C-alpha cells in the first residue's frame, strides 16, 4: 500500500480527512477522530537513515497506535520500525512501500482507531 492508497482508504473507511498541523512539514498528514480530536494515524516522509535503512532519500510511513504486545511482535517483521517520534511502546511505524502487507496495515488501522476512540461513559 502506498501513501495515496492509504489516505483514500482512511477517508472511505473512517470518514476522516487529513489535517496538516505543521507549517514546516506540509506533507505530514494527521488523521483524527472527530469527537475527541485524538490521532489514529500519522503519515510522514522520513529519511531512510532515521529508520536504520541504507541509502538516502525519504520513505513514506504511517504511525499507528497498537499497544506493547503488537509493537513487540511487529518490530521483527519487514516493513515495521519502532515508532518514529512517538511512544515506542504504544505506537508502531509501518513503511508505505509495499514491504508491509496491506491487510496488516488495515488491521492496525482498526486497532489504532479503536484505541484512540472517544470513551463511552457508563450510566449508573
Amino acid at each position: 500500500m502506498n501513501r495515496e492508497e492509504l489516505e483514500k482508504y482512511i477517508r472511505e473507511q473512517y470518514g476522516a480527512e487529513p489535517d496538516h498541523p505543521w507549517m514546516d512539514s506540509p506533507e505530514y498528514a494527521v488523521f483524527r477522530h472527530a469527537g475527541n480530536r485524538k490521532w489514529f494515524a500519522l503519515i510522514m516522509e522520513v529519511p531512510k537513515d532515521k529508520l536504520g535503512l541504507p541509502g538516502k532519500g525519504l520513505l513514506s510511513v504511517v504511525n499507528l497506535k497498537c499497544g506493547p504486545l503488537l509493537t513487540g511482535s511487529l518490530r521483527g517483521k519487514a516493513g515495521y520500525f519502532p515508532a518514529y517520534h512517538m511512544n515506542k511502546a504504544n505506537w508502531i511505524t509501518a513503511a508505505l512501500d509495499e514491504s508491509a502487507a496491506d491487510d496488516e496495515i488495515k488491521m492496525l488501522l482498526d486497532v489504532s482507531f479503536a484505541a484512540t476512540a472517544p470513551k463511552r461513559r457508563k450510566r449508573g
Side-chain angles (χ1 to χ4, degrees):
M1 180 175 294
N2 64 35
R3 180 185 178 129
E4 292 77 27
E5 293 167 338
L6 178 63
E7 287 189 18
K8 182 180 182 218
Y9 178 80
I10 291 171
R11 283 186 178 105
E12 292 172 356
Q13 186 71 22
Y14 306 102
E17 291 295 325
D19 180 19
H20 303 277
W22 299 286
M23 291 181 67
D24 63 337
S25 299
E27 70 281 1
Y28 284 25
V30 174
F31 289 88
R32 306 171 188 257
H33 286 275
N36 63 9
R37 306 289 296 148
K38 286 189 177 182
W39 304 3
F40 65 91
L42 168 60
I43 300 175
M44 305 175 281
E45 305 295 321
V46 177
K48 290 182 178 180
D49 64 338
K50 298 284 185 185
L51 298 171
L53 296 172
K56 295 184 180 186
L58 300 174
L59 178 66
S60 292
V61 299
V62 60
N63 278 1
L64 301 160
K65 187 169 188 173
C66 61
L69 290 176
L70 271 174
T71 59
S73 64
L74 290 169
R75 283 189 197 147
K77 295 181 76 172
Y80 294 97
F81 307 92
Y84 183 75
H85 274 292
M86 301 287 272
N87 179 307
K88 291 171 183 19
N90 294 309
W91 291 78
I92 192 80
T93 295
L96 299 175
D97 65 352
E98 308 293 330
S99 60
D102 291 2
D103 59 338
E104 284 181 337
I105 291 175
K106 289 176 181 179
M107 178 272 300
L108 290 168
L109 268 168
D110 284 341
V111 169
S112 186
F113 190 79
T116 56
K119 305 296 181 217
R120 291 187 167 195
R121 292 188 176 192
K122 295 181 182 179
R123 292 187 177 194

